């Protein structure tokens, strides 16, 4: 009998008390519940649960017209953002997004792509470090799959969408001058630009620069186009806010925000590698799109992402405006860009760096540089690594004279070296 009480009757009694408590909780108003019951721990636990419960979602029977809403409702979200000190990018988006365009391309034939299928995804190493720094990336079809030097198994992808033939660009002159990546337009036979006002206009190429992966195209519009201005990427600091705009996966105009994660990244794609690393989501189709500072100025152009897949993992790369702007201007003026050339192999495995080899037909040889020369400075600026020298040379025009301070057999010598023109075979 005792076993029956503990196993059957007692649980039943407890269950009845719980049910009674639940029912009492729902007594209208609660004022009819006797005080002895109100004072029980069971009633208090049920009547006032320790964990807050969200209110049920109530949907109106029909959509309420915007004009019928109270005046304060439209300002509630901005007021809340202001109270929480949260930034809104909406004013910046309204300012710059009209100048961001979507680019689509087409080819007359796919034979070139078919030819690419049979080519290996590697290139033979060039003869010198200068050439290696300026060596071309594999053709567009294979650029989606090459390793970033020193990054283990992380993969470098151009931020364009090969599946849809989509990319991005931005207008830098109201006459219709548009900047994008060279790999976005490639060898397209037809380029179409979709503007923010819904128009689609054909574009033609004004020129490109293989070394920096920059291209300039133009559309003819009967009315001036909204345009953006250049900012100074040299003033950008790690941790600064950044707004990225473009055409991810061909979806059309889209913006993302983040911060500058790092500057001066060398991805091994050329002598002018000086990428700005961004953590704002950048995806295929964003190539050629702008990255803005909070003043609405372009401080970088989206170019690549590092990811084991085709999507963003928060590591994107942009070409700084200090590189893009002068290249764009040169293309507008002449249709091409000329870069300086030394013709040397530099070894910076020890300090100071030294000349490992010299092209007998190059500018360095003509200027007097020889093997085993230790390079100490260019002009009045000390140099400590080969990358600094090669970037400075590649950014200069042919014919520019650099004064190299070297040490040869214990003597300090200054040699004026007139830069040569970078051969097109190294692109």
């Amino acid at each position: 009998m005792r076993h029956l009480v503990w196993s059957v009757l007692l649980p039943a009694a407890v269950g009845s008390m719980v049910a009674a408590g639940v029912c009492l909780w729902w007594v209208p108003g609660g004022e009819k519940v006797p005080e002895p019951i109100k004072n029980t721990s069971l009633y208090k636990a049920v009547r006032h649960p320790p964990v807050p419960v969200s209110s049920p979602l109530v949907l109106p029977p029909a959509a309420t017209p915007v004009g019928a809403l109270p005046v304060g409702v439209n300002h509630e979200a901005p007021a809340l953002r202001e109270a929480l000190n949260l930034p809104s990018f909406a004013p910046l988006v309204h300012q710059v997004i009209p100048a961001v365009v979507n680019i689509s391309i087409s080819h007359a034939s796919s034979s070139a792509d078919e030819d690419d299928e049979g080519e290996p995804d590697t290139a033979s190493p060039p003869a010198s470090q200068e050439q290696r720094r300026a060596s071309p990336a594999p053709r567009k079809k294979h650029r989606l799959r090459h390793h970033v030097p020193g990054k283990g198994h992380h993969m470098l992808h151009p931020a364009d969408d090969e599946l849809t033939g989509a990319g991005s660009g931005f207008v830098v002159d109201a006459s219709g001058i548009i900047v994008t990546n060279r790999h976005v337009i490639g060898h397209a036979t037809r380029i179409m630009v979709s503007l923010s006002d819904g128009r689609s206009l054909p574009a033609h190429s004004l020129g490109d620069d293989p070394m920096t992966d920059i291209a300039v195209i133009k559309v003819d519009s009967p009315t001036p186009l909204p345009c953006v201005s250049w900012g100074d990427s040299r003033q950008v600091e790690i941790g600064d806010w950044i707004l990225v705009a473009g055409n991810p996966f061909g979806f059309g105009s889209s913006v993302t925000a983040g911060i500058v994660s790092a500057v001066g990244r060398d991805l091994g794609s050329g002598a002018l590698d000086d990428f700005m690393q961004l953590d704002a989501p950048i995806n295929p189709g964003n190539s050629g799109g702008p990255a803005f500072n909070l003043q609405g100025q372009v401080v970088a152009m989206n170019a690549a992402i590092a990811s084991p897949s085709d999507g963003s993992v928060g590591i994107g790369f942009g070409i700084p405006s200090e590189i893009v702007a002068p290249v764009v201007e040169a293309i507008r003026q002449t249709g091409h860009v000329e870069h300086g050339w030394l013709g040397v192999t530099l070894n910076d495995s020890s300090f100071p760096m030294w000349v490992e080899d010299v092209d007998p037909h190059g500018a360095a040889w003509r200027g007097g540089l020889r093997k085993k020369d230790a390079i100490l400075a260019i002009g009045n600026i000390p140099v400590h690594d080969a990358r600094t020298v090669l970037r400075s040379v590649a950014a200069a025009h042919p014919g520019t004279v650099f004064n190299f301070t070297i040490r040869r057999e214990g003597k300090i010598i200054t040699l004026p070296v007139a830069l040569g023109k970078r051969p097109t075979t190294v692109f």
Side-chain angles (χ1 to χ4, degrees):
M1 183 67 180
R2 179 177 300 177
H3 177 73
L4 178 63
V5 170
W6 286 101
S7 61
V8 178
L9 298 182
L10 184 60
V14 172
S16 299
M17 293 178 65
V18 171
V22 172
C23 293
L24 291 173
W25 182 34
W26 289 103
V27 172
E31 67 278 359
K32 297 181 181 180
V33 179
E35 290 297 328
I37 295 179
K38 284 186 177 182
N39 294 330
T40 62
S41 59
L42 175 62
Y43 179 86
K44 292 178 180 180
V46 176
R47 189 69 176 84
H48 303 288
V51 180
V53 179
S54 300
S55 302
L57 180 64
V58 179
L59 298 177
T64 304
V66 175
L69 292 175
V71 176
V73 172
N74 291 334
H75 303 285
E76 182 177 350
L80 180 61
R81 284 198 302 266
E82 183 177 352
L84 297 176
N85 197 28
L86 297 177
S88 173
F89 290 95
L92 178 58
V93 172
H94 290 308
Q95 173 187 344
V96 302
I97 205 66
V100 181
V101 303
N102 304 328
I103 298 175
S104 60
I105 64 170
S106 60
H107 297 273
S109 172
S110 61
S111 59
D113 289 340
E114 293 172 356
D115 291 342
D116 286 350
E117 291 285 350
E119 294 182 1
D121 195 11
T122 57
S124 58
S128 69
Q129 183 174 1
E130 187 172 12
Q131 290 173 321
R132 177 180 66 80
R133 295 280 184 177
S135 61
R139 293 189 185 182
K140 180 179 176 182
K141 194 172 190 66
H142 298 298
R143 289 185 62 173
L144 290 175
R145 290 290 184 270
H146 69 274
H147 291 277
V148 181
K151 301 298 181 183
H153 294 291
H154 294 304
M155 308 296 286
L156 181 67
H157 305 256
D160 66 336
D161 192 349
E162 288 189 331
L163 298 179
T164 62
S168 308
F170 52 99
V171 183
V172 294
D173 190 280
S175 64
I177 304 296
I178 297 171
V179 180
T180 186
N181 281 132
R182 180 178 184 264
H183 72 255
V184 167
I185 60 174
H187 299 288
T189 55
R190 186 169 181 264
I191 306 171
M192 291 297 297
V193 172
S194 299
L195 305 176
S196 60
D197 59 10
R199 289 183 294 164
S200 291
L201 300 176
H204 62 275
S205 174
L206 296 183
D208 58 56
D209 180 29
M211 184 173 181
T212 56
D213 192 26
I214 296 170
V216 180
I217 60 178
K218 187 179 187 307
V219 296
D220 295 320
S221 171
T223 57
L225 299 180
C227 58
V228 290
S229 59
W230 298 107
D232 189 352
S233 58
R234 296 170 296 183
Q235 302 299 319
V236 174
E237 296 184 2
I238 297 173
D240 282 352
W241 281 107
I242 206 84
L243 180 78
V244 170
N247 181 24
F249 293 106
F251 280 120
S253 181
S254 178
V255 296
T256 57
I259 64 171
V260 177
S261 301
V263 295
R265 290 298 196 204
D266 183 1
L267 304 183
S269 63
L272 281 175
D273 269 21
D274 191 35
F275 287 91
M276 188 182 295
Q277 183 180 325
L278 313 173
D279 79 339
I282 297 175
N283 288 289
N286 276 119
S287 263
F292 296 99
N293 59 19
L294 293 186
Q295 288 72 49
Q297 300 169 324
V298 180
V299 292
M301 179 172 66
N302 310 325
I305 60 176
S307 172
S309 65
D310 287 343
S312 171
V313 294
I315 304 178
F317 301 99
I319 307 172
S321 59
E322 64 176 302
I323 294 177
V324 184
V327 169
V328 170
E329 186 58 29
I331 292 175
R332 290 182 61 180
Q333 297 295 330
T334 66
H336 65 281
V337 183
E338 294 184 344
H339 297 280
W341 177 256
L342 267 181
V344 294
T345 301
L346 301 177
N347 190 324
D348 57 4
S349 59
S350 60
F351 179 80
M353 80 183 82
W354 48 280
V355 178
E356 188 173 284
D357 197 10
V358 185
D359 182 351
H361 305 288
W365 180 272
R366 291 192 298 269
L369 284 175
R370 297 294 182 265
K371 290 184 180 181
K372 306 302 181 183
D373 285 348
I375 298 180
L376 307 178
I378 298 179
N380 297 322
I381 302 176
V383 290
H384 306 286
D385 59 88
R387 180 171 176 248
T388 299
V389 176
L390 300 179
R391 287 189 67 246
S392 302
V393 169
H397 293 286
T400 302
V401 177
F402 279 8
N403 292 317
F404 283 82
T405 301
I406 67 169
R407 185 172 64 215
R408 178 186 298 168
E409 298 177 351
K411 297 180 180 180
I412 305 298
I413 306 172
T414 299
L415 298 174
V417 178
L419 300 183
K421 180 181 176 181
R422 181 174 295 266
T424 56
T425 56
V426 301
F427 288 127

